[in-house]
Amino acid sequence: MAEEVDYTNLPLEERLDHKVWKARLSAYEELSKQFELSRNDHDPVFTSQPPDVFKKILTDSNVVAQEAGYRAFINYLRFGGNASVASRLVKTIGIVQPICEKGLSSSRKGTKESAIESILIMVEYIDTPESLVEEITSHLGNRLPKLVAGCVTALDAIYENFGCKIVPPKAVIPSLGKLFAHADKNVRSETTKLTVELYKWMGESLTSILFPDLKPVQQKDLISAFEAVKNEKPQQKRLTKTQKDELAREEGASAASKSSGQEKEDVEMNDATVPETNYDPLEFVDPVEVLSRLPGDFETRISSAKWKDRVEVLEEVQAVLEKSPKLVKNEDYAPLVRIFAKNMDDANIQVVQLAATCANHVAKGLGKDWTKYQPIILKQVIERTKEKKPSVASALDTFLDTMFSISGLGGSILEEAVAGTTLKVPQNKIACANFLQRCLAHVSTPPKSTEVEMIMPAGLRLLSDSQQSIRDAATELIGTLMKITGERELNKYLDKTDDNRRAKIFKVYESATVKCSSPQAGSAPSSNTVPIKKSLSSRTSQPGRISSSGSSTIPSKREASSPAKRGDDGKASNLGKGLTSRSLSKPTSTSLRPSKAINSNSLSSNHVNLSHPQAVQRASTPPPAAPPQIEYVVDPKMEQELEKLRQEVKRFQEQQQQDRSLIHQLNQENVSLKEEVSSLNSRLENEMRSSSIAISHKDTQVNNLKIELDKVNHRVKDLETEREINKLQQSNQTYLAREVVHPDHDNSSNREPDIRKGVHRLSLTESDQQIKHPSAAEKGGIGYNRPSFHSISSNREKLDVDAGDDWKRAAEVTQQLKKRIERMKARARTPLNVE
């Protein structure tokens, strides 16, 4: 057995081009070790070999040597790479092509991972990673599925590590539609991963570009995949060389400025890889010019009297706009927006829905530049919110939310929404109140006092409406506003509101979720009950007597007037009546908070002898203009009874609230069921209409078949008649032939009378009838009864002479019969032709 050759003694250059793969393997390993042991990126080892040699190393025919060659290339980039080296490798040498063709498509896991790692390192160093991505995307149309799947995996790794801010996805997005239509399932699977990674950075702007090119099944799968990562915030996992240098400079500056006692904090700061920065998903998309792509006859067709023409042209416009998430901003979109505003008044709701959707695409595409076009269409959209159909209402609400997200409460949104609450249609009031509630829930800065002064009168007006749905919408609006401004800010507006409605407002106030809050909104009410109940409970809990000032809700006329009754019992009973009948039902504004006069009197009563009732009365005496005080004695049993009544009232209010919510839910279900019933009725009507049309069509077919059957029957009768005539003619011709052939036959004398009888039978004239039926005189003639030889001979001669005439007459009769048959046919055809 031959000994193994030691190739390490050969020069490195010779081993790099050696035919034996083991020699090349030793050369690649030695080269990798030299790169790893280099002193810096300017070491001579990096210039000892030209960069072109790596193009040959990465395409080595032996898979083991190829994997070692990738390790050497990675060390070359890691220890000696910089921006100029990476740019030269990508743009001049074209190193990406061999990596894609031989590395990313390799069946060895180590080689494939090394190929992806080498690409990521080059992205770290190169100044323009778009050129590297373009080199990879050029191989996505290759016929080898393994190569295409490897390139997609590399792109996914690039965007997963660096994100769309470092590597713009403009070159990748146009290829996604073709990749999803690829025949290989591995390619489609890797494309899904890449698309999900792009969605983390681009959001809904990616779906608007990509979904029009996909099938509904593919869209459904992607939507479910997007939902799983919808709440994930994308973050760059790998730093570029520039970012590393900048971060090192910042850490060096911070370390120099801080004391040594803060070294631990500095070390902890080093753990952060990339600072979180806000980004706009539309910055990864190029603006599109759409006005020139609209149909040339757009204005003519949108003004057509036929609603189908208007719907068709709006669908074409929507197809153009939904593929353009970012629009060119230096164009004039005012004429287009005016057309959409005019469509808001269209009688066909499908036209309204399409116009709102198209305008929404324009608003999203323009962003902040939409504010100058907003006044053109905002009022019309607010007025059209009267539609109850869910699809139309959803399109209008989405458009309104988009306009709010762009301009906030400014841009006349607040004024138009408040004005919409005064419209006559109840649906307008509900939609505008809900829109204002959504705006307040998502507003980033608290509304100003002037804005609160605009919202609250509209909310209170809706709160007193006769319809429950409108009152509920107003409750949500006021409760959300109170969550931002606080209870104190809105107390002056809610003075005259009854307890039940205030309780609902406070319940919304506690459960509402907003993005901002003012300093006054820090303290929430302690319970869902109305503040009047709190004041009553606090007053009744004090021992001794309860004094009522001019602000008390208990009238003085409830004082005991009969001298026969005990004073304490009368006062206690009147107290119970007053608390249960008056103060718990309709509180006044003065009872919401304790008056300042009472607080000041309580503070100044420290020097008064509380044991003397007169002193207490002087200390708590109101000004002369106020009515006199009335004192009541509180019985502990009555106080317990009052507490029970309060709890019962509270339980009753909670039960009432639950019942109302259940009624509201049942009403919504009833509305949905009514809509379903109406849709089923419309379907039933359509099916009945189609069934009646089918039945009438079948009846028409049956009538036509009957007519055809009658025609066939008439034809059969005509053919039978014609056949009989032909038979008669054939029998006559046969008879004549026999007479011609045998003129002196003995039976001729016997056949002549038969012929004559046949002729007489076919005759239609009166003379024929006379011949057929001879007179009685002729029958009784002597010559007839007693023929002589002479007469017999004369008759024979006569028969011989008339034989030719009889055949002529038979022919005439035949012609007459034919004419008669033709007339009968004509009469039979006349009614058939009319139908």
Side-chain angles (χ1 to χ4, degrees):
M1 185 174 180
E3 295 182 359
E4 242 182 85
V5 181
D6 186 10
Y7 297 102
T8 56
N9 297 325
L10 297 175
L12 180 63
E13 289 77 6
E14 184 178 347
R15 281 182 288 160
L16 288 173
D17 295 331
H18 206 281
K19 295 181 179 181
V20 179
W21 66 270
K22 291 184 179 181
R24 299 195 301 272
L25 175 62
S26 64
Y28 301 158
E29 291 176 348
E30 182 178 346
L31 197 60
S32 176
K33 191 174 182 180
Q34 290 179 2
F35 295 149
E36 190 174 354
L37 297 176
S38 60
R39 292 175 296 177
N40 51 46
D41 56 350
H42 300 291
D43 195 282
V45 68
F46 296 109
T47 58
S48 62
Q49 299 293 335
D52 299 349
V53 73
F54 289 105
K55 196 170 183 179
K56 185 178 180 181
I57 292 174
L58 299 180
T59 57
D60 198 294
S61 58
N62 185 270
V63 292
V64 179
Q66 182 188 19
E67 187 172 351
Y70 269 102
R71 287 196 295 269
F73 181 61
I74 289 173
N75 285 337
Y76 172 77
L77 294 174
R78 186 171 294 165
F79 297 103
N82 51 47
S84 60
V85 170
S87 178
R88 182 182 177 187
L89 286 171
V90 174
K91 297 179 180 179
T92 306
I93 299 175
I95 197 67
V96 178
Q97 180 179 358
I99 294 176
C100 293
E101 293 178 353
K102 295 295 183 180
L104 297 177
S105 62
S106 177
S107 57
R108 291 175 66 89
K109 183 179 179 181
T111 303
K112 190 173 182 178
E113 291 177 353
S114 299
I116 295 175
E117 179 64 22
S118 63
I119 290 176
L120 295 178
I121 295 175
M122 286 190 288
V123 172
E124 287 184 13
Y125 286 108
I126 195 169
D127 294 330
T128 57
E130 297 93 335
S131 59
L132 191 148
V133 172
E134 289 175 358
E135 289 286 337
I136 299 175
T137 54
S138 63
H139 294 83
L140 295 178
N142 197 284
R143 292 183 295 178
L144 188 62
K146 188 185 295 186
L147 172 59
V148 178
C151 292
V152 177
T153 305
L155 291 173
D156 180 33
I158 290 174
Y159 289 105
E160 182 181 0
N161 287 277
F162 297 99
C164 293
K165 293 183 71 67
I166 301 299
V167 187
K170 300 175 183 178
V172 180
I173 294 175
S175 304
L176 293 177
K178 297 180 180 179
L179 292 174
F180 275 110
H182 202 278
D184 188 71
K185 65 177 182 180
N186 293 328
V187 175
R188 297 195 300 270
S189 176
E190 294 297 329
T191 305
T192 303
K193 295 179 183 178
L194 172 61
T195 307
V196 170
E197 191 62 38
L198 292 176
Y199 177 79
K200 294 179 183 179
W201 292 88
M202 299 181 63
E204 296 299 328
S205 59
L206 176 63
T207 61
S208 59
I209 300 173
L210 180 60
F211 275 19
D213 298 331
L214 300 182
K215 298 178 181 179
V217 177
Q218 296 171 337
Q219 294 180 10
K220 184 179 179 181
D221 295 339
L222 280 179
I223 288 173
S224 60
F226 291 162
E227 287 294 331
V229 298
K230 191 173 184 179
N231 297 325
E232 293 186 14
K233 189 173 182 180
Q235 188 176 2
Q236 184 181 344
K237 298 179 180 179
R238 195 161 175 168
L239 296 175
T240 62
K241 178 64 174 171
T242 305
Q243 290 175 332
K244 289 179 181 178
D245 295 341
E246 184 177 356
L247 188 62
R249 287 195 298 270
E250 292 178 356
E251 290 178 355
S254 61
S257 61
K258 291 182 180 180
S259 61
S260 60
Q262 295 177 337
E263 289 180 357
K264 184 176 181 181
E265 183 179 357
D266 295 339
V267 173
E268 292 178 353
M269 289 180 61
N270 293 336
D271 297 337
T273 56
V274 182
E276 295 183 359
T277 56
N278 295 326
Y279 64 94
D280 181 13
L282 291 178
E283 68 178 290
F284 309 126
V285 182
D286 290 332
V288 181
E289 200 281 314
V290 295
L291 294 180
S292 61
R293 300 184 181 182
L294 300 180
D297 54 349
F298 172 59
E299 296 183 0
T300 305
R301 293 168 64 188
I302 200 64
S303 303
S304 175
K306 297 180 179 179
W307 67 270
K308 289 186 178 180
D309 295 341
R310 302 196 298 272
V311 169
E312 288 177 358
V313 72
L314 284 174
E315 287 176 348
E316 295 177 9
V317 173
Q318 181 184 0
V320 175
L321 293 175
E322 67 183 1
K323 294 182 180 180
S324 308
K326 190 175 183 180
L327 303 181
V328 175
K329 299 180 180 179
N330 57 0
E331 298 284 341
D332 185 16
Y333 296 91
L336 182 62
V337 177
R338 290 192 185 96
I339 292 175
F340 294 149
K342 186 178 179 181
N343 293 140
M344 291 295 110
D345 299 329
D346 199 285
N348 187 274
I349 58 175
Q350 193 172 357
V351 175
V352 177
Q353 179 181 351
L354 289 170
T357 305
C358 293
N360 186 40
H361 287 309
V362 175
K364 286 183 176 180
L366 291 176
K368 294 296 183 182
D369 290 334
W370 165 257
T371 53
K372 60 183 178 182
Y373 305 111
Q374 186 166 287
I376 301 175
I377 195 174
L378 178 60
K379 184 178 180 181
Q380 288 78 359
V381 176
I382 293 289
E383 293 175 353
R384 194 64 188 198
T385 52
K386 62 184 179 181
E387 295 296 337
K388 293 184 179 180
K389 189 173 183 181
S391 59
V392 183
S394 177
L396 294 172
D397 290 343
T398 302
F399 184 31
L400 288 173
D401 293 342
T402 300
M403 287 191 284
F404 165 73
S405 64
I406 294 173
S407 62
L409 288 176
S412 69
I413 281 185
L414 182 59
E415 292 82 356
E416 293 295 341
V418 171
T421 59
T422 61
L423 297 175
K424 295 182 179 179
V425 182
Q427 189 63 30
N428 280 127
K429 299 178 181 179
I430 297 173
C432 292
N434 290 335
F435 173 54
L436 284 174
Q437 188 271 334
R438 294 195 303 271
C439 293
L440 292 174
H442 294 86
V443 73
S444 57
T445 57
K448 302 176 183 177
S449 299
T450 56
E451 295 174 343
V452 174
E453 291 174 358
M454 292 178 61
I455 296 172
M456 282 306 297
L460 294 174
R461 185 172 57 254
L462 298 179
L463 195 63
S464 60
D465 197 272
S466 59
Q467 296 191 16
Q468 179 66 32
S469 56
I470 298 177
R471 296 197 299 270
D472 292 341
T475 302
E476 293 285 338
L477 171 61
I478 298 174
T480 305
L481 180 60
M482 185 181 288
K483 190 73 173 180
I484 299 175
T485 61
E487 177 186 356
R488 181 180 178 184
E489 184 76 16
L490 304 184
N491 274 337
K492 63 179 180 180
Y493 298 102
L494 300 176
D495 281 347
K496 299 181 180 180
T497 306
D498 60 17
D499 294 353
N500 189 18
R501 293 175 183 174
R502 293 193 66 176
K504 292 181 180 179
I505 292 173
F506 276 99
K507 188 173 182 180
V508 174
Y509 164 55
E510 290 182 350
S511 60
T513 302
V514 295
K515 289 187 176 180
C516 74
S517 60
S518 64
Q520 293 87 352
S523 61
S526 59
S527 65
N528 292 337
T529 58
V530 189
I532 181 64
K533 301 177 183 178
K534 300 178 186 178
S535 62
L536 287 174
S537 62
S538 62
R539 291 184 183 183
T540 56
S541 62
Q542 295 178 359
R545 300 174 181 270
I546 297 180
S547 62
S548 64
S549 63
S551 63
S552 175
T553 59
I554 305 174
S556 60
K557 67 180 182 179
R558 290 186 178 272
E559 187 179 4
S561 59
S562 176
K565 297 181 180 180
R566 295 177 59 185
D568 294 343
D569 296 340
K571 292 175 183 178
S573 62
N574 288 334
L575 177 62
K577 289 182 180 179
L579 289 175
T580 56
S581 62
R582 290 296 299 273
S583 62
L584 292 178
S585 61
K586 292 184 179 180
T588 59
S589 60
T590 55
S591 65
L592 294 177
R593 297 179 183 274
S595 61
K596 296 181 179 179
I598 296 175
N599 294 333
S600 61
N601 291 333
S602 62
L603 292 174
S604 62
S605 62
N606 293 329
H607 63 281
V608 180
N609 188 1
L610 298 178
S611 62
H612 298 282
Q614 295 179 356
V616 176
Q617 184 176 1
R618 285 195 303 269
S620 60
T621 301
Q629 282 188 340
I630 302 172
E631 297 181 356
Y632 296 97
V633 177
V634 179
D635 189 4
K637 295 182 178 179
M638 185 62 67
E639 189 174 352
Q640 293 178 0
E641 185 178 356
L642 279 174
E643 188 64 28
K644 291 180 181 179
L645 291 173
R646 291 192 195 96
Q647 294 177 359
E648 290 180 1
V649 170
K650 185 177 179 181
R651 287 195 299 269
F652 173 74
Q653 289 179 349
E654 292 177 355
Q655 182 66 31
Q656 190 178 19
Q657 184 67 23
Q658 293 177 1
D659 294 341
R660 287 181 178 176
S661 62
L662 180 61
I663 291 172
H664 181 66
Q665 182 179 1
L666 292 175
N667 288 333
Q668 290 180 348
E669 293 180 358
N670 189 19
V671 171
S672 62
L673 289 175
K674 284 182 179 179
E675 292 178 355
E676 186 176 359
V677 168
S678 62
S679 63
L680 290 175
N681 288 334
S682 61
R683 284 179 55 188
L684 180 60
E685 291 177 358
N686 293 333
E687 291 178 359
M688 291 177 64
R689 191 180 299 110
S690 60
S691 299
S692 61
I693 292 172
I695 290 171
S696 62
H697 182 65
K698 295 294 183 183
D699 291 340
T700 305
Q701 289 182 349
V702 170
N703 292 332
N704 292 335
L705 291 174
K706 286 182 179 180
I707 293 172
E708 293 294 332
L709 181 61
D710 292 339
K711 290 181 180 179
V712 170
N713 290 334
H714 286 295
R715 180 62 179 165
V716 169
K717 291 180 181 179
D718 294 342
L719 292 174
E720 289 178 353
T721 306
E722 187 175 355
R723 187 183 66 178
E724 292 296 332
I725 294 172
N726 291 334
K727 285 182 179 181
L728 182 59
Q729 289 178 355
Q730 289 177 2
S731 64
N732 291 339
Q733 290 175 2
T734 305
Y735 179 78
L736 288 176
R738 289 179 181 177
E739 288 296 327
V740 172
V741 175
H742 306 287
D744 297 332
H745 198 271
D746 295 338
N747 295 330
S748 62
S749 61
N750 297 328
R751 295 181 182 273
E752 287 176 358
D754 295 335
I755 295 172
R756 186 168 293 182
K757 289 179 181 179
V759 172
H760 290 326
R761 187 168 63 250
L762 295 173
S763 177
L764 299 176
T765 61
E766 293 180 358
S767 59
D768 295 335
Q769 295 294 333
Q770 293 175 0
I771 294 171
K772 187 175 181 181
H773 303 286
S775 62
E778 291 176 350
K779 289 182 180 180
I782 300 172
Y784 182 82
N785 294 326
R786 295 178 181 181
S788 61
F789 178 78
H790 178 73
S791 63
I792 291 171
S793 61
S794 63
N795 289 334
R796 182 179 294 278
E797 291 176 0
K798 188 175 181 179
L799 286 171
D800 294 334
V801 173
D802 295 338
D805 296 333
D806 291 335
W807 289 114
K808 290 180 180 179
R809 193 163 189 79
E812 292 176 0
V813 171
T814 303
Q815 293 296 329
Q816 291 176 2
L817 286 173
K818 287 184 178 180
K819 292 179 180 179
R820 188 175 179 181
I821 290 169
E822 292 295 333
R823 288 196 297 273
M824 292 173 65
K825 289 182 179 179
R827 285 196 298 271
R829 292 193 192 98
T830 301
L832 298 177
N833 293 333
V834 170
E835 291 185 358

